[in-house]
Amino acid sequence: MAGQGKISARQKMINLMYLVFIAIMAMTVAPEVLSAFGLMEEKFEKANEVTTDMNAKLLANLKTKGKENPKEFAAAGVKAEQVSIASDKFYRFIEEQKKDIIRMGGYEVDEVTGRLPFEKMKKGDKLDEKWFTGDRLTKEGDKVINAIKQYKKEIKDILGVDQFYNKFIENFEKKFDISEVKDSEGVTKQWLDYHFKGFPSIASYTKLTAIQNDVKVTQADLNNLFLGNAAVEATSLDKYKAIVLADKSAFFAGEKFQGRVVIGKYANVPPTALEVNGKKYDVSKVIDSTGAARLDFNVGNVGEHTIEGKFTFLENGKELEIPIIDANYVVVPKPNSATISADKMNVVYRGVSNPMTISFAGVPDNKVKASASGLSGSNGKYVMKPQSGREVTINVTGTLDDGSPVRDSKLFRIKDLPKPLGSFNGQQGNAKLPRNNVEIGKISADFGDDFDFKLPLNVVSFTMKVPGKPSVNCTGNRLNSSAKSALRSARRGDLVQFINIKAKAQGSSIRIKTVTPVVIELAN
């Protein structure tokens, strides 16, 4: 090992045995475990990118506030800048350790996916040689520990003795605790030894990325503390909403929208009185949980109308009146055309229940009637079950408040059900299965995820074809004795075909098209 110096022959033998043991461990680590570490590393890396961006914005916010309000935020901005410098320095140091793992292991990033070769990053002996010598740390190992200690010291020096940061420092110490650790056998080990010695390189790489994540989170926590919860609440626009104030609440076709967008907040303060268009409201009944008042009055004749009134609040023992301004609405004529739409698609399918919503704009659903061959339902909700033909026309009649009728109609295309997809033991199209799985498996069929209707299908018959053998017809959805006999004569790698698959819909006599075939390659 590097940095051994003058050691006894016995110690050299122990070190050699340790290297052999680590090599054996690396060879036996499952690829799935290595991939899991890799995926965890990627998640930490993405989190670090997000937190880095957030820290930059928080720091910029502090600088802006420092210029606007030096008394409140200038000192905090300086501290945040110092924390950023210390954190970036330590972050880069950890990044260099990660690069050494890649360099020493000879690993390369995949040019297509941009990923490290997780499943190849088994051995950790190179990092062990760099950081450990026997039971002690090498100079490089000491650098790691000293870097952590230095980062902790710099952060605490920046915060000073201000009691406001006591809780943060307590959590900070726990997050970067490098004291000795007892393993599962009760043996006391150095922190670096316990967490990195003997681990696969991808595990150590991931742990280093996790430390970087702790650095980024530490910086974010401090930036938020420097901003101060009360200050953020008072100065941030986060609690405000963008409110659109239209010049009128209805526009005719062809008109240009006119209005304004303002920033404001809903005042969750109960008023003492509310008056609109000369009518006084009981505030205990019309004010909701957000402080908004719900109005209820007749809109009047066709044309533009103005809403006038005032809110009255009690402030410092005096009544404060807030007038309602820039409030108007437009009453438009009643509609004379229907809205007919299929809930699922623009066509209707034969043999299934097609849900539909049918209404007349401005006409209550209970005063709208729809009729067509295969159509049933009422109050806006209908079901279409087309049977024959290629098209169906839906006629709609609405009754206005004055008793006069309005009518409309729409033509829909009728389509047959699509070709079902065959599957064997859940495998569609081409699959590879062991012979025993094929022998006891079953054929099934469905319309696939792209078909929005639920219509369960039962396979009633199919034909199995084994290379070099006559086709075997089977009833039901499983292999019969003849099919099993033919299957046993097949060889590994043979393609067993399931064709001419017939299915029926449960509870329906609708004709179902022949199911798509399935081809199974025998794995043994």
Side-chain angles (χ1 to χ4, degrees), residues 142-211:
D142 284 330
K143 284 183 181 179
V144 176
I145 295 299
N146 290 334
I148 298 174
K149 290 179 178 179
Q150 180 63 24
Y151 177 62
K152 291 172 65 176
K153 180 179 183 301
E154 288 176 3
I155 294 297
K156 287 190 286 187
D157 286 347
I158 292 169
L159 300 181
V161 296
D162 193 330
Q163 298 298 310
F164 177 76
Y165 302 111
N166 281 356
K167 186 64 178 179
F168 169 83
I169 292 176
E170 179 181 341
N171 293 330
F172 176 71
E173 284 285 2
K174 291 178 181 178
K175 188 176 294 183
F176 291 95
D177 183 11
I178 55 174
S179 57
E180 293 182 337
V181 185
K182 283 189 177 181
D183 63 15
S184 58
E185 298 178 0
V187 178
T188 300
K189 294 183 177 180
Q190 296 182 71
W191 181 86
L192 201 65
D193 183 313
Y194 180 82
H195 285 280
F196 291 90
K197 192 174 185 179
F199 282 85
S201 55
I202 183 57
S204 297
Y205 192 94
T206 300
K207 288 183 178 182
L208 290 174
T209 306
I211 292 175

Side-chain angles (χ1 to χ4, degrees), residues 34 64 84 118 140-141 192 201 238 248 280 310 366 414 446 487 510:
L34 300 174
T64 300
S84 177
F118 305 143
E140 291 298 321
L192 201 65
S201 55
D238 183 58
K248 55 185 180 181
K280 294 183 178 180
K310 59 184 178 182
N366 61 355
I414 301 175
D446 59 48
L487 178 66
I510 191 70

Side-chain angles (χ1 to χ4, degrees), residues 76-97:
V78 172
K79 288 181 183 291
E81 190 71 44
Q82 292 173 336
V83 168
S84 177
I85 294 172
S87 297
D88 288 346
K89 182 179 69 174
F90 183 48
Y91 189 99
R92 290 193 300 270
F93 174 82
I94 298 298
E95 189 65 24
E96 290 302 317
Q97 307 308 306

Side-chain angles (χ1 to χ4, degrees), residues 215-256:
V215 173
K216 292 296 181 183
V217 171
T218 295
Q219 187 179 352
D221 289 344
L222 281 174
N223 284 335
N224 280 302
L225 282 175
F226 294 149
L227 280 167
N229 292 333
V232 171
E233 178 72 19
T235 60
S236 174
L237 293 176
D238 183 58
K239 300 299 182 181
Y240 286 77
K241 296 182 182 295
I243 303 172
V244 177
L245 299 179
D247 287 352
K248 55 185 180 181
S249 61
F251 294 89
F252 295 100
E255 281 190 294
K256 291 184 178 180

Side-chain angles (χ1 to χ4, degrees), residues 315-326:
E315 185 176 75
N316 295 327
K318 298 180 180 180
E319 287 191 346
L320 172 65
E321 293 184 353
I322 300 179
I324 298 173
I325 59 174
D326 297 329

